Amino acid sequence: MPKLTVQNLSGLEVKVAEGQTLLEALLQGQGTDWMHACGGKGRCTTCRIVVLQGMEHTAPLTAAELRYREKGRLQDNERLTCQCTLPSGEVTGKVPEQTKLPHMSYSS
Ligand code: FES
């Protein structure tokens, strides 16, 4: 099954089921919290992840992501976890500095 690794959450590994967004996979039963201010509707960009490896395995950008790319609010190495799915392969990413949650502890 496709897998997401989050480098600065101590290498947390999350399995991503078919059709599931990265955010859904992250929030599902592992005691992990991830900022998602608009509730996963593609309207805020607070759920973004910096992709370090494996961008080629992610599904194409959604309309919401394309809109933020055009506005310069989503960088080439970033995806919105509430939009992005992972049909196959593995992705490694990290939580951006600006969206770290105060009650979570992050590794370097
Ligand atoms: S949670 Fe708002 S864009 Fe993803």
Side-chain angles (χ1 to χ4, degrees):
M1 190 181 290
K3 188 178 77 177
L4 167 66
T5 301
V6 185
Q7 192 183 65
N8 59 356
L9 282 176
S10 302
L12 172 77
E13 294 185 354
V14 177
K15 290 192 166 104
V16 185
E18 190 179 343
Q20 195 175 37
T21 65
L22 300 185
L23 182 65
E24 288 167 343
L26 282 161
L27 296 180
Q28 148 188 306
Q30 298 206 27
T32 305
D33 204 358
W34 194 279
M35 193 179 286
H36 54 291
C38 75
K41 295 184 172 70
R43 294 185 189 151
C44 70
T45 77
T46 62
C47 68
R48 67 191 185 278
I49 186 170
V50 177
V51 177
L52 302 169
Q53 284 181 340
M55 185 66 99
E56 69 274 17
H57 299 302
T58 59
L61 294 170
T62 65
E65 290 178 301
L66 283 169
R67 201 168 52 239
Y68 286 118
R69 275 276 165 86
E70 286 165 10
K71 290 180 182 169
R73 291 181 57 193
L74 190 67
Q75 303 305 308
D76 288 348
N77 63 342
E78 295 177 330
R79 294 295 303 261
L80 297 181
T81 61
C82 76
Q83 302 290 302
C84 182
T85 57
L86 186 59
S88 64
E90 297 183 9
V91 163
T92 300
K94 67 176 184 178
V95 183
E97 204 58 44
Q98 305 89 330
T99 59
K100 286 182 175 176
L101 292 166
H103 62 279
M104 294 285 294
S105 45
Y106 297 91
S107 52
S108 52

